[in-house]
């Protein structure tokens, strides 16, 4: 094929406008998922060791080169400084800590501000939930002591308190750590100029979802330094595009004990090959900065992807993972999210870990699963108190050793 034609096709793939989306289950075209347990060489994976040594690295490499992109080859050591500490926050229920974290190995490069709430009623170290927020750190609670996130100061304090359930998390004995996602990199096609991805040259250079996931790992670097946190019991959580980032963080970084995907949809937990709701072409067209350059070639050609999103969930094995959908969040394809979780089970089985424990989608508002958890809640694309209750119950089960009460 002449070079000009190749260029045209690649370009056309990059900008292919979203086509009509299918929202009819009867019109989902048949598709075949790649087998998670078959190596590129054709060899079958039948034990956990071969999975960890061969298939997991092979899949990680494919997701890196074809979808999320590669982050820095060498991770710089974070520098940090506790910028505020209040041991009597939230009517004495919590200790609020704010920490500035520099991401480039010195105190002049890119940085992010982490907000941490620790429950006062339990002895330390405590397990924690970590997640990026959309509205600035001060959006997660009306607590007037939170510093307004730079670049997001206009968000009303406590605007997203319902999505974070800070007091409930603390009452259950967990810490909550959160960072404004725009601190790592603003969510726009030119955002990389102001973020951690200093240069972008190659088709497999990281997309911003990978940058946010990388930032979550840097936040965990800090939590490992904080004596009040049990860094071996940290659950990474994210909603929507930040759920995609949480999944990629959990898949890559084995230090995350639990990964929680809330309505992450296409490019997250939902199967790409199922033509229901949002498509790869939609993602590439509306959010070209989210994934790497190579991902553009899969617009309308999902069947040529060398993996599907069940493989992403399987990369988290044998650690626990939870996928949550919402009935009215049809663009995220709840059924496709369930099927991705279901098709990750064979990998969990290699480790002797039970997965969902059901073959069909559970009833609405019913949580299922042991090492792979799932629910579909009533209502819209959102994070609600119900979602958090399931995450807390799931974390309780996995972090079980009951959290000792302070004498
Ligand atoms: C858009 C996008 C989704 C994404 C969502 C969000 O709706 O199409 O893929 O999950 O934004 O992040 O809120």
């Amino acid at each position: 094929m002449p070079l000009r034609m190749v260029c045209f096709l690649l370009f056309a793939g990059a900008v292919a406008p979203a086509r009509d989306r299918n929202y009819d289950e009867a019109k989902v075209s048949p598709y075949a998922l790649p087998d998670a347990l078959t190596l590129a060489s054709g060899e079958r994976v039948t034990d956990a060791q071969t999975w960890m040594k061969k298939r997991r690295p092979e899949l990680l490499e494919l997701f890196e080169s074809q979808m999320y992109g590669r982050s820095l080859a060498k991770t710089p050591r974070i520098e940090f400084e506790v910028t505020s500490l209040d041991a009597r926050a939230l009517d004495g229920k919590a200790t609020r800590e704010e920490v500035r974290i520099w991401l480039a190995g010195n105190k002049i490069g890119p940085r992010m501000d982490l907000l941490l709430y620790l429950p006062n009623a339990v002895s330390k170290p405590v397990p924690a939930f970590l997640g990026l927020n959309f509205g600035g750190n001060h959006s997660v609670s009306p607590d007037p002591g939170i510093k307004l996130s730079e670049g997001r100061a206009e968000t009303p304090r406590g605007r997203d308190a319902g999505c974070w359930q800070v007091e409930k998390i603390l009452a259950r004995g967990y810490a909550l750590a959160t960072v404004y996602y725009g601190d790592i990199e603003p969510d726009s096609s030119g955002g990389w100029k102001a973020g951690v991805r200093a240069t972008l040259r190659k088709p497999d250079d990281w997309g911003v979802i990978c940058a946010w996931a990388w930032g979550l790992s840097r936040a965990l670097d800090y939590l490992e330094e904080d004596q009040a946190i049990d860094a071996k019991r940290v659950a990474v959580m994210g909603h929507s595009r930040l759920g995609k980032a949480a999944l990629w963080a959990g898949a890559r970084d084995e230090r995350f004990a639990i990964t929680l995907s809330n309505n992450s949809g296409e490019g997250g937990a939902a199967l790409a090959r199922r033509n229901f709701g949002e498509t790869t072409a939609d993602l590439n067209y509306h959010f070209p900065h989210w994934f790497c350059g190579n991902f553009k070639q899969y617009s309308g050609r999902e069947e040529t992807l060398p993996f599907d999103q069940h493989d992403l969930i399987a990369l988290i094995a044998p650690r626990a993972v939870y996928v949550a959908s919402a009935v009215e969040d049809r663009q995220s394809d709840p059924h496709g999210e369930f099927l991705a979780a279901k098709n990750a089970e064979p990998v969990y089985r290699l480790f002797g870990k039970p997965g969902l424990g059901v073959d069909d989608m559970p009833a609405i508002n019913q949580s299922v699963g042991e090492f792979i958890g799932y629910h579909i809640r009533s209502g819209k694309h959102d994070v609600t108190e119900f979602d958090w209750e399931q995450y807390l119950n799931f974390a309780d089960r996995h972090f079980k050793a009951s959290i000792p009460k302070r004498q």
Side-chain angles (χ1 to χ4, degrees):
M1 193 184 292
L3 184 64
R4 274 175 56 190
M5 178 71 97
V6 174
C7 290
F8 170 76
L9 285 176
L10 282 176
F11 182 68
V15 295
R19 282 164 303 170
D20 287 346
R21 293 180 183 180
N22 172 42
Y23 282 106
D24 181 350
E25 192 64 43
K27 292 197 180 130
V28 172
S29 327
Y31 58 91
L33 291 182
D35 180 8
L37 293 179
T38 302
L39 281 150
S41 63
E43 191 193 328
R44 283 278 301 166
V45 178
T46 53
D47 61 273
Q49 207 192 4
T50 313
W51 169 265
M52 288 310 265
K53 288 232 161 83
K54 291 194 181 169
R55 182 60 172 154
R56 186 171 183 279
E58 182 176 275
L59 273 172
L60 272 177
E61 160 63 28
L62 287 168
F63 273 106
E64 273 192 359
S65 67
Q66 304 303 306
M67 187 170 182
Y68 298 101
R70 296 182 203 285
S71 55
L72 304 177
K74 195 163 175 284
T75 306
R77 236 188 87 82
I78 54 154
E79 295 281 338
F80 64 87
E81 190 178 309
V82 176
T83 52
S84 82
L85 184 70
D86 178 357
R88 309 289 311 156
L90 304 177
D91 299 324
K93 289 196 255 337
T95 296
R96 179 192 350 93
E97 215 177 288
E98 290 174 305
V99 188
R100 179 153 284 185
I101 301 173
W102 284 270
L103 300 163
N106 56 47
K107 286 197 175 173
I108 49 174
R111 56 177 209 219
M112 61 187 188
D113 289 331
L114 179 119
L115 167 68
L116 178 64
Y117 279 111
L118 295 156
N120 282 344
V122 291
S123 50
K124 312 293 178 302
V126 287
F129 288 92
L130 165 67
L132 300 176
N133 65 71
F134 283 98
N137 289 349
H138 59 283
S139 70
V140 309
S141 159
D143 177 356
I146 306 174
K147 187 170 86 73
L148 296 175
S149 276
E150 285 167 24
R152 207 53 205 230
E154 76 285 359
T155 310
R157 286 188 178 278
R159 185 196 70 180
D160 302 333
C163 303
W164 287 95
Q165 301 290 325
V166 173
E167 306 234 358
K168 186 177 276 276
I169 293 168
L170 292 165
R172 296 277 293 259
Y174 290 86
L176 174 68
T178 186
V179 170
Y180 168 50
Y181 82 138
D183 273 7
I184 304 167
E185 184 171 314
D187 186 5
S188 63
S189 50
W192 60 276
K193 293 175 195 143
V196 294
R197 300 180 300 155
T199 49
L200 286 181
R201 292 198 200 94
K202 299 190 295 302
D204 61 352
D205 277 338
W206 43 348
V208 70
I209 284 179
C210 180
W212 296 327
W214 184 87
L216 283 164
S217 289
R218 303 293 70 78
L220 181 55
D221 293 348
Y222 169 73
L223 295 178
E224 286 185 327
E225 302 281 333
D226 194 318
Q227 305 294 308
I229 299 289
D230 178 355
K232 298 223 166 345
R233 291 190 294 166
V234 173
V236 61
M237 179 272 178
H239 170 58
S240 209
R241 68 197 67 184
L242 299 180
K244 308 181 209 297
L247 281 169
W248 185 229
R252 293 182 67 214
D253 191 335
E254 293 178 67
R255 295 175 300 164
F256 287 115
I258 297 181
T259 303
L260 307 165
S261 149
N262 195 88
N263 304 181
S264 64
E266 195 73 20
L271 291 176
R273 280 170 175 73
R274 248 179 70 87
N275 62 319
F276 189 102
E278 194 170 30
T279 64
T280 304
D282 291 328
L283 287 176
N284 282 329
Y285 182 70
H286 295 292
F287 310 100
H289 56 296
W290 281 4
F291 301 96
C292 75
N294 281 337
F295 193 56
K296 309 292 180 285
Q297 65 190 289
Y298 299 104
S299 290
R301 300 174 62 232
E302 288 86 348
E303 73 286 356
T304 62
L305 275 162
F307 47 72
D308 210 308
Q309 298 308 97
H310 64 304
D311 291 315
L312 179 69
I313 296 173
L315 283 171
I316 298 167
R319 293 164 293 131
V321 59
Y322 197 108
V323 174
S325 310
V327 175
E328 291 167 32
D329 184 24
R330 299 179 75 223
Q331 91 153 2
S332 292
D333 185 13
H335 194 195
E337 295 185 311
F338 172 81
L339 289 171
K342 180 76 194 153
N343 282 284
E345 276 185 333
V347 177
Y348 278 79
R349 241 178 262 133
L350 287 181
F351 294 87
K353 305 268 186 195
L356 286 166
V358 292
D359 289 330
D360 300 315
M361 279 180 88
I364 292 164
N365 298 330
Q366 189 194 312
S367 174
V368 296
E370 273 192 57
F371 279 81
I372 308 174
Y374 179 83
H375 71 248
I376 175 162
R377 135 180 89 65
S378 48
K380 61 183 175 63
H381 185 73
D382 199 358
V383 195
T384 67
E385 189 174 357
F386 175 87
D387 295 318
W388 273 108
E389 265 157 22
Q390 313 320 309
Y391 301 152
L392 285 160
N393 295 342
F394 191 69
D396 278 358
R397 289 206 298 278
H398 288 281
F399 293 153
K400 39 191 188 285
S402 60
I403 302 152
K405 284 260 179 237
R406 181 174 274 171
Q407 297 306 314

